[in-house]
Amino acid sequence: MSYLTDVGTVCWFLEKELEEAIRQLHSTVGNAVTDDRHIVVGTGSTQLYHAALYALTSPGGPEPVNVVSAVPYYSSYPEETNFLCSALYKWAGDAYTFDKEGPYIELVTMPNNPDGQVRGPVVNRNDGKLIHDLAYYWPQYTPITAQADYDIMLFTFSKSMGHAGSRIGWAVVKDKNVAIKMTKYIELNSIGVSRESQHRAAKILGAVSDSSQCIGANFFQYGKSLMAERWTKFREVINRSRLFSLPKYMEEYCQFSGEDSEPHPAFAWLKCNNDIEDLEIFLRRYKIMGRGGSLFGSDPKHVRVSMLGDEETFNLFLERVSSIQDTISNSNGNGI
Amino acid sequence: MSYLTDVGTVCWFLEKELEEAIRQLHSTVGNAVTDDRHIVVGTGSTQLYHAALYALTSPGGPEPVNVVSAVPYYSSYPEETNFLCSALYKWAGDAYTFDKEGPYIELVTMPNNPDGQVRGPVVNRNDGKLIHDLAYYWPQYTPITAQADYDIMLFTFSKSMGHAGSRIGWAVVKDKNVAIKMTKYIELNSIGVSRESQHRAAKILGAVSDSSQCIGANFFQYGKSLMAERWTKFREVINRSRLFSLPKYMEEYCQFSGEDSEPHPAFAWLKCNNDIEDLEIFLRRYKIMGRGGSLFGSDPKHVRVSMLGDEETFNLFLERVSSIQDTISNSNGNGI
């Protein structure tokens, strides 16, 4: 089995079958424009993030290009951006407070990880370039309100389908030269992407596209109903006390399902409303693992918790959150 | 399917089944020590090369660490090392002429790509660290003269088995902290390695280990006989004129096959003996594609040609080399 799939396309290691399945799925779901766009496959969208940074910068600049994202941002971006100490780009933190001159790259995660909010670019200057991370822009997580049509859009098999271990991501790219340079990055970084994973992803994406025509066996509708159920249960638990709060989301019309619906994000961005200073440490005492707000450029009164664990883990999580609230309420009731 | 395989091991995304198959294969072939060594899996050995550079350097040094390799070196090393303009390391060229002070990393490719020679480190200073690229240290290419036992040894499913498209490589690493840092690189670069490819590689490596017990169905003996036949044919063609020459190799005792044998490298390092200045350009006129010597830090009178194409391609290659020799001989005979 060779490195090569089709030397005629921009992304020479992309399986034709996978490319077709990706275009078909976006067309079925209506979440992204792919006509006249280039598809670049990566070892997860993480490798494509690196590829995009490489594609949007050039050697020889006076300073590394600043990379920003609005707080709260995906916690891995700072380390992923800086760990090789590249002279091409460097992490510059929160897009809201960014005030340096010169070219910059803004990461727009939509809907956002960790807080599930739908958002757009923040800096909005002419010398900026955008990378849209649309990992969670799928009907099980959020209403599909429009076909996304940005310069570089990153998607992943992990978040769309749940197959993180396959390490398949894809970028939908407008500019041919950017797609060529992203492909070059992946060539120099790993000489392509697993063909086994590409084959398997193509089959699964194809089956999911097909399922979207079926009432009762629709993958995304099923995923959405599971997520909605979890969010309902979780909000019920949270609303029993004033200890914690969750972001509020607006209902919007989902073009995929043809009905109004609320977002049901993959993560809950939990906030504590009392004088607990570090929520991550506090929750750990109750055996609840979350990622503290500071890692997302936010404050330690926030924690990101996963809504995607298996059923047993999720139920245990609900029980433990309930037990905290009971304990604290009882303590307060007793005047302690 | 999750990101995780086994959180207890150093390389948390390595499939247990693959780790066992790798250790078993090295034990069967006798080409590398793996007892008390850590295995790190990568998206091909290219990703592991990047991981090793990251693991052997640290931020904050006064200068990037110099990376060298003896000429002729693998042509992708310079670009792979420099393309992200890292402040951690930089390509410094030929190990033979390296005279800078301070820490350095030397890449030792053994047997060497492009010229098939068996070689060791060249700089030999106390402040150096070594990465051994042993992609071709398998019985079909070269006699197995000893169990390799170096600090970092890179292997790949591509060159050992021919499955380049799976993008599976592995490193055998002595120092636990180096293995941890290499794993961290892969986490930050692609959050692990395709599990589909790992499963498939495990099955194939297992089958090859089993085949090595069988007389008549031994994968490596079969590969070696094919390579030996190709080299015999190619040398016959080359020896018909004085236009080209090939490296000479010594016979050595192969501990795997239990017999004396010559190397049969995956590439031929072809040299022209007349006044052709750029052999790559010259060969292209005869529809022979090779990679010019300059890319390997050598001179343009050399070209690397592949000995691994399919049977039809290889036979066509032999015919075309023959036809050049006939043309040139006839020209000389006619006094032109």
Side-chain angles (χ1 to χ4, degrees), chain B residues 55-70:
Chain B
L56 296 180
T57 56
S58 298
E63 289 286 329
V65 172
N66 287 300
V67 180
V68 298
S69 188

Side-chain angles (χ1 to χ4, degrees), chain B residues 100-270:
Chain B
K100 297 198 180 69
E101 290 187 4
Y104 69 95
I105 294 169
E106 182 173 348
L107 306 166
V108 183
T109 309
M110 197 284 290
N112 194 35
N113 172 3
D115 67 357
Q117 299 292 356
V118 171
R119 57 191 207 171
V122 164
V123 183
N124 294 315
R125 279 186 349 218
N126 288 337
D127 48 357
K129 290 173 182 168
L130 302 177
I131 301 171
H132 276 78
D133 182 344
L134 303 186
Y136 299 96
Y137 192 48
W138 295 98
Q140 67 269 53
Y141 302 122
T142 200
I144 304 302
T145 55
Q147 272 197 311
D149 186 16
Y150 306 111
D151 290 346
I152 302 178
M153 302 188 278
L154 306 183
F155 291 94
T156 155
F157 193 48
S158 161
K159 304 309 181 281
S160 55
M161 304 286 135
H163 295 274
S166 303
R167 311 309 309 123
I168 291 291
W170 62 93
V172 182
V173 182
K174 263 188 201 171
D175 184 274
K176 186 175 181 180
N177 289 325
V178 171
I180 289 171
K181 230 179 139 186
M182 289 180 71
T183 300
K184 184 71 184 170
Y185 173 91
I186 294 172
E187 181 184 324
L188 290 169
N189 185 234
S190 64
I191 324 187
V193 173
S194 162
R195 295 182 67 178
E196 285 89 341
S197 284
Q198 289 191 65
H199 278 293
R200 187 158 170 274
K203 290 287 175 214
I204 293 175
L205 295 182
V208 166
S209 279
D210 293 346
S211 86
S212 299
Q213 323 295 337
C214 305
I215 297 163
N218 182 318
F219 173 87
F220 292 115
Q221 293 289 29
Y222 176 71
K224 182 181 163 186
S225 69
L226 280 186
M227 294 303 293
E229 196 186 315
R230 287 193 172 187
W231 272 94
T232 303
K233 285 182 185 169
F234 189 43
R235 286 201 188 273
E236 275 171 17
V237 168
I238 293 301
N239 290 339
R240 259 185 251 151
S241 84
R242 295 185 142 196
L243 198 54
F244 302 115
S245 60
L246 286 168
K248 290 188 174 51
Y249 302 113
M250 300 285 286
E251 268 204 351
E252 290 200 80
Y253 182 74
C254 175
Q255 297 181 352
F256 174 74
S257 64
E259 57 190 20
D260 286 348
S261 95
E262 251 188 33
H264 309 108
F267 298 105
W269 186 233
L270 198 62

Side-chain angles (χ1 to χ4, degrees), chain A residues 104-115:
Chain A
Y104 69 94
I105 294 170
E106 182 174 346
L107 307 167
V108 184
T109 309
M110 198 283 288
N112 193 36
N113 172 0
D115 68 357

